[in-house]
Amino acid sequence: MVTEISKLKINPFHSSVYKINDIDDLAESIQELGLLQPIIVNSSLSIISGVRRYYALKKLGYTEVDVEIKHLNVAEEIAIISFNKQRVKTQRERLMEAKYLKQLWRRKKGRKSEAEKLQTNSNMGPADTRKDVCKAVGLSAGNFSKLEYIDEVNPDLVDLIDQDNLSINQAHKIAVKLKESKNVEDKSIYLPETISNDYYKIYNKSSDDLSEIPDESVQMIFTSPPYWKLRNYSGSNDELGAEKTPEEYIKRLVDHLKDCYRVLKPEGSFYLNLADTYLDKCLQSIPNRIQIELMKHGWILRNSIIWHKRNSLGFNSKDALKPSYELIFHLVKSKKYVFNEIQMPFKGEVKPGIGWINRKRSDNTSSDYGRVCLTGLKDGKQLEDFWDKDVIHTAVANQAAVKRYGGTEHAAPFPEEICIAPILMTTNSGDTVLDVFSGSGTVGAVALMLGRKFIGYDLDPKHNSVQVGRFNDSIISLDAAIEKYNQTQLSKAA
Ligand SMILES: C[S@@+](CC[C@H](N)C(=O)[O-])C[C@H]1O[C@@H](n2cnc3c(N)ncnc32)[C@H](O)[C@@H]1O
């Protein structure tokens, strides 16, 4: 039955189920292929199925639409709306289906034999032309070409589309620019300045102003700012670390960190990793001077952890000992804060065992790198404040994670193990972890792997693609970890 679009009503339950913020791609598909399925309505013309199609048609300027009336009770209507949400395919699924159909269609064309006519599964029907392929999966020919192109240039962009961070058109524009740019280093600068989904948010801006984050909403902050006079990261004026004197650096960093106090929950924790610098042969005690300033601002110092860095960087002086450690301060806002005690084994280096997982990547390979203690160890000693290789296995820092995701070497990523114990001790599953100098995203990768949410700030957009790659794989690793943990529990019970 054909009816006027203006007569259709939206069931309020839809707004809690659907995101109607980006219907451009669907509108484009309808414009090219027409409306493939009628909109399903109840007897009072309230939409049961097809609300996104309804908005797309309105956007295209349609005044009339083909509807099918169904007589259902309220519970049945809600069940259908929920079911429809579950069967909304991601663009990646559509792309994979279309690629599969295209392959079959090509093979069929090659054989030119009716008898060998290839059928796909019953939902899709046979594909005779590129148009059939698109119709079967609900993509316009234009969007199929764009998705194929985007996937070839940078598959992460397809994930960003599925996470509602980009439309197909935006991602396509980015992919075109990426392809034009032969320089791998430039890749990530085309990603948007804010990347946000249910798991993580990345902001490319200075973290002295965290106004995107509500007061007392973050459970834990783990961060490592640029050390004084050690490196130049992005060259931006907002970048910390290039101040003329240690005093200027200390003042600027302490001011910079003020908003961290505001966003942290009263029961939250703040871990700050710092190292010292020499000036005129004199070690400046910068970490301790910062720590004292932070205490004046109300922070309570719970631990001053020594991170012993095997293979620490070169040191030219022959009349002093080679520096081999950095400090990690554990600060809190109130005397009562979340603290889950975790145990270390009594002797020797931690060996992977129950509760330790191998990292699984989205391409289904797995790696030894980055073992994660998921459950903690039951029998052992209390974790101490001197962290040697029993806590942090890897040497100084590992660039492998950065390179694996197509990034250039980050000047100073720290090893993943540095934040595993702090996150396990001071947060619970689902809590939000923040890194205000997120760099290559090490803290975010660990937080997500452990089932926490993450917010990261970094001035330098160059790291976005590495962060997105690491974060998306970490979410997959979490599933693998839970699966492995459940298997362990099952085999114990058997
Ligand atoms: C020591 S690195 C952090 C490395 C990170 N922990 C990792 O594992 O990759 C410091 C980072 O701070 C960033 N940065 C410098 N000044 C900043 C500012 N004002 N706001 C936000 N980020 C800044 C730099 O771009 C750099 O990536």
Side-chain angles (χ1 to χ4, degrees):
M1 168 187 130
V2 173
T3 187
E4 285 169 42
I5 282 202
S6 57
K7 291 199 175 142
L8 299 184
K9 290 175 222 127
I10 305 289
N11 184 322
F13 187 67
H14 276 296
S15 53
S16 65
V17 176
Y18 283 103
K19 283 187 188 161
I20 312 292
N21 53 359
D22 186 12
I23 43 153
D24 289 356
D25 301 332
L26 179 61
E28 205 175 306
S29 160
I30 291 176
Q31 197 159 29
E32 189 172 322
L33 303 171
L35 189 64
L36 298 177
Q37 288 169 309
I39 290 176
I40 313 281
V41 293
N42 63 17
S43 43
S44 54
L45 293 185
S46 184
I47 298 175
I48 302 171
S49 171
V51 73
R52 293 184 80 246
R53 275 169 278 155
Y54 160 83
Y55 281 112
L57 288 169
K58 272 183 71 161
K59 183 168 183 162
L60 290 170
Y62 279 59
T63 50
E64 290 187 328
V65 62
D66 198 12
V67 297
E68 188 182 321
I69 298 185
K70 280 213 191 289
H71 301 279
L72 303 168
N73 65 35
V74 176
E76 284 167 335
E77 279 185 25
I78 289 180
I80 287 182
I81 294 169
S82 306
F83 172 75
N84 279 342
K85 166 64 183 168
Q86 281 162 27
R87 71 175 177 76
V88 170
K89 285 181 194 158
T90 63
Q91 299 295 6
R92 167 146 334 268
E93 283 167 344
R94 291 204 166 104
L95 177 66
M96 298 314 286
E97 282 178 3
K99 278 185 172 174
Y100 173 68
L101 285 175
K102 192 170 124 182
Q103 245 181 0
L104 295 180
W105 161 53
R106 282 211 172 134
R107 274 170 58 195
K108 194 179 91 174
K109 260 178 53 175
R111 287 179 187 159
K112 287 194 171 69
S113 151
E114 255 322 283
E116 285 177 304
K117 190 163 181 163
L118 282 156
Q119 297 282 332
T120 61
N121 72 44
S122 56
N123 290 335
M124 293 181 190
D128 289 318
T129 63
R130 189 176 171 87
K131 198 171 169 192
D132 283 344
V133 169
C134 295
K135 200 167 174 179
V137 300
L139 277 173
S140 70
N143 278 346
F144 177 35
S145 303
K146 282 180 193 158
L147 278 171
E148 274 190 308
Y149 181 86
I150 295 164
D151 194 41
E152 183 202 308
V153 176
N154 184 345
D156 286 344
L157 290 171
V158 181
D159 295 333
L160 288 171
I161 297 170
D162 281 331
Q163 290 152 8
D164 280 334
N165 286 317
L166 293 175
S167 69
I168 294 181
N169 281 335
Q170 286 169 326
H172 184 253
K173 278 187 196 145
I174 292 168
V176 170
K177 282 191 190 166
L178 286 180
K179 194 135 190 181
E180 278 166 12
S181 153
K182 294 209 174 66
N183 186 352
V184 187
E185 280 191 35
D186 288 346
K187 271 193 174 184
S188 49
I189 60 174
Y190 298 108
L191 288 176
E193 285 180 1
T194 300
I195 297 173
S196 167
N197 56 48
D198 289 347
Y199 297 96
Y200 58 84
K201 295 185 199 309
I202 304 170
Y203 296 105
N204 289 147
K205 55 171 283 224
S206 178
S207 49
D208 56 331
D209 167 16
L210 305 174
S211 47
E212 296 77 10
I213 309 180
D215 295 355
E216 303 190 344
S217 59
V218 164
Q219 174 57 31
M220 190 251 203
I221 304 170
F222 194 110
T223 202
S224 177
Y227 303 154
W228 184 60
K229 288 275 188 227
L230 216 62
R231 291 196 171 87
N232 188 345
Y233 293 94
S234 60
S236 152
N237 286 342
D238 286 332
E239 186 174 303
L240 282 151
E243 297 71 17
K244 286 200 186 86
T245 63
E247 289 69 30
E248 271 179 53
Y249 169 73
I250 292 165
K251 181 172 181 328
R252 193 166 166 212
L253 181 59
V254 170
D255 282 350
H256 191 103
L257 296 174
K258 272 189 187 144
D259 229 12
C260 289
Y261 196 92
R262 176 185 66 78
V263 300
L264 194 71
K265 288 185 176 178
E267 66 276 21
S269 280
F270 176 25
Y271 285 85
L272 181 63
N273 165 223
L274 288 165
D276 213 347
T277 314
Y278 279 90
L279 175 65
D280 264 350
K281 277 205 136 183
C282 180
L283 203 50
Q284 295 297 303
S285 277
I286 290 175
N288 296 97
R289 287 159 74 184
I290 290 172
Q291 164 235 311
I292 289 166
E293 287 306 311
L294 292 174
M295 285 161 67
K296 285 186 202 157
H297 282 84
W299 290 101
I300 301 168
L301 180 66
R302 293 297 296 144
N303 275 119
S304 179
I305 299 160
I306 291 176
W307 167 26
H308 178 215
K309 297 178 78 172
R310 289 176 294 143
N311 308 342
S312 57
L313 293 174
F315 183 61
N316 293 329
S317 186
K318 296 282 176 230
D319 55 2
L321 304 182
K322 183 178 172 186
S324 69
Y325 70 89
E326 292 189 7
L327 288 166
I328 305 168
F329 297 120
H330 177 200
L331 300 143
V332 293
K333 283 170 81 167
S334 63
K335 289 179 191 160
K336 263 195 114 188
Y337 57 94
V338 171
F339 197 79
N340 310 312
E341 198 196 332
I342 65 166
Q343 302 280 324
M344 298 309 288
F346 279 111
K347 274 187 205 153
E349 206 170 325
V350 176
K351 294 276 189 298
I354 291 173
W356 291 77
I357 58 155
N358 282 346
R359 165 178 296 233
K360 188 177 166 196
R361 302 198 202 112
S362 52
D363 60 5
N364 254 340
T365 56
S366 69
S367 153
D368 238 12
Y369 173 75
R371 292 178 196 279
V372 168
C373 176
L374 182 71
T375 55
L377 297 163
K378 289 215 175 71
D379 306 308
K381 61 180 179 182
Q382 192 179 3
L383 185 59
E384 291 164 357
D385 60 4
F386 180 81
W387 290 3
D388 208 345
K389 60 187 176 189
D390 53 346
V391 182
I392 302 177
H393 293 231
T394 41
V396 184
N398 201 323
Q399 297 280 3
V402 179
K403 287 194 199 142
R404 190 183 309 132
Y405 296 98
T408 48
E409 288 209 354
H410 184 278
F414 47 42
E416 295 185 349
E417 286 100 332
I418 195 175
C419 48
I420 293 175
I423 291 177
L424 286 172
M425 288 187 295
T426 61
T427 69
N428 290 309
S429 177
D431 282 342
T432 300
V433 173
L434 166 69
D435 183 351
V436 289
F437 302 101
S438 60
S440 63
T442 311
V443 176
V446 174
L448 293 163
M449 234 186 285
L450 295 173
R452 276 66 171 168
K453 292 180 179 166
F454 177 71
I455 305 176
Y457 283 77
D458 200 288
L459 273 180
D460 195 348
K462 204 167 64 209
H463 310 305
N464 279 6
S465 61
V466 176
Q467 294 203 63
V468 167
R470 289 182 88 178
F471 294 173
N472 290 348
D473 272 8
S474 299
I475 296 164
I476 290 170
S477 294
L478 175 69
D479 293 340
I482 290 169
E483 199 183 304
K484 176 142 186 174
Y485 177 68
N486 287 341
Q487 275 169 12
T488 322
Q489 297 301 95
L490 281 175
S491 60
K492 262 198 230 160

